Amino acid sequence: MSAVRLTHIGGPTTLIEAGGWRILTDPTFDPPGRRYAFGWGAFSRKLAGPALDAGAVGPIDAVLLTHEHHGDNLDDAGRALLPSAGTVITTTSGAARLGGNAVGLAPWSSTTLERPGMPAIEVTATPCRHGPPLSHPITGDVIGFALTWDGQRHGALWVSGDTVLYGGVRQVAHRVNVGLALVHLGGVRFPVTGPLRYTMTARKAVDLCRAVRPHTAVPVHYEGWKHFQQPLSQAQREFARAPDVPVRWVPIGSPTDLET
């Protein structure tokens, strides 16, 4: 099973279909216009709605939730979807807050998705730091995910999660053979914290991809919110200046078949 169908719904939210599994990342389905608090005086407004409504996505077997405490990764409509998903995999602290069908993982711990007649998928949490050094008390726990199953041609499917480029996320290059990478961009900044970044710019993502060496990098988490500070056109120019990084810009709302 090497074929994967991705549907980028908007922001970080992506539907992954592989081997009969339907897996959703970071559900965000609220309409645009609302202002959200991100803690410590940071606010942002949602500028664009999802390409698909939550009701149009269909049944979900598992949700990969990089963190549950920021509205651009889990909003109200996304939260309402969680009980109907088979399993929600997130941080250990997030799982304790969510309860119910949530399973918590610490970085480099794993769980397995299993269902009769479908290939088992091992899900391993990978490290993230959602901001500059010493920002963890403000930004909280965040993880990425490496998904492996039998038949992958190029390697694991990796979701970077909301992270800056730092030593922890660089460990992925040494511990995971990555085939398809969903890389969170945006260069997030807030007026209250000035020039500090809370996710990667495209230039930093290029540096990470050069270390991780995915077969295909698919950028997500770059549009739809006021605090995303690097527009798509600028991100595309950065990747275009790095022909050694194999990137695929997946159209939002359009199912796209790729290999992992």
Side-chain angles (χ1 to χ4, degrees):
M1 181 182 71
S2 63
V4 174
R5 174 166 290 180
L6 298 182
T7 305
H8 184 194
I9 295 170
T13 310
T14 304
L15 177 64
I16 302 167
E17 298 176 86
W21 289 97
R22 306 183 85 253
I23 300 171
L24 190 68
T25 68
D26 287 353
T28 55
F29 291 98
D30 283 357
R34 178 177 158 190
R35 189 171 181 248
Y36 296 74
F38 286 79
W40 292 71
F43 294 88
S44 184
R45 190 174 300 279
K46 190 169 187 178
L47 303 177
L52 297 173
D53 292 334
V57 172
I60 299 299
D61 299 304
V63 169
L64 304 180
L65 182 56
T66 63
H67 56 303
E68 41 64 59
H69 53 281
H70 289 159
D72 60 330
N73 296 85
L74 182 68
D75 57 19
D76 289 349
R79 192 177 292 267
L81 176 148
L82 297 184
S84 66
T87 304
V88 177
I89 305 174
T90 189
T91 63
T92 53
S93 58
R97 287 188 290 266
L98 289 172
N101 58 346
V103 174
L105 293 180
W108 299 119
S109 63
S110 300
T111 189
T112 302
L113 297 174
E114 296 181 292
R115 181 167 294 179
M118 295 165 66
I121 298 180
E122 184 179 54
V123 181
T124 300
T126 60
C128 293
R129 194 183 76 202
H130 198 359
L134 306 180
S135 64
H136 180 264
I138 300 172
T139 59
D141 294 335
V142 183
I143 53 175
F145 300 97
L147 280 61
T148 57
W149 58 79
D150 288 342
Q152 287 176 318
R153 182 176 177 184
H154 303 291
L157 190 161
W158 178 50
V159 181
S160 75
D162 283 10
T163 186
V164 296
L165 181 58
Y166 79 114
V169 74
R170 286 184 183 274
Q171 293 176 20
V172 173
H174 306 291
R175 300 184 62 160
V176 181
N177 177 32
V178 177
L180 180 61
L182 272 62
V183 185
H184 289 211
L185 304 182
V188 164
R189 291 188 301 186
F190 296 96
V192 71
T193 52
L196 298 178
R197 299 279 189 181
Y198 295 88
T199 62
M200 290 183 289
T201 62
R203 182 171 297 180
K204 294 295 186 181
V206 164
D207 290 343
L208 178 59
C209 287
R210 282 174 170 154
V212 173
R213 299 177 63 124
H215 178 264
T216 307
V218 176
V220 296
H221 193 276
Y222 54 76
E223 48 66 52
W225 289 81
K226 190 173 181 179
H227 63 301
F228 292 2
Q229 293 291 305
Q230 187 175 55
L232 173 60
S233 58
Q234 185 179 347
Q236 289 176 324
R237 286 196 297 270
E238 289 288 352
F239 274 93
R241 285 194 281 263
D244 56 316
V245 175
V247 65
R248 182 79 176 266
W249 297 93
V250 173
I252 294 175
S254 297
T256 303
D257 294 331
L258 299 164
E259 282 193 345
T260 188

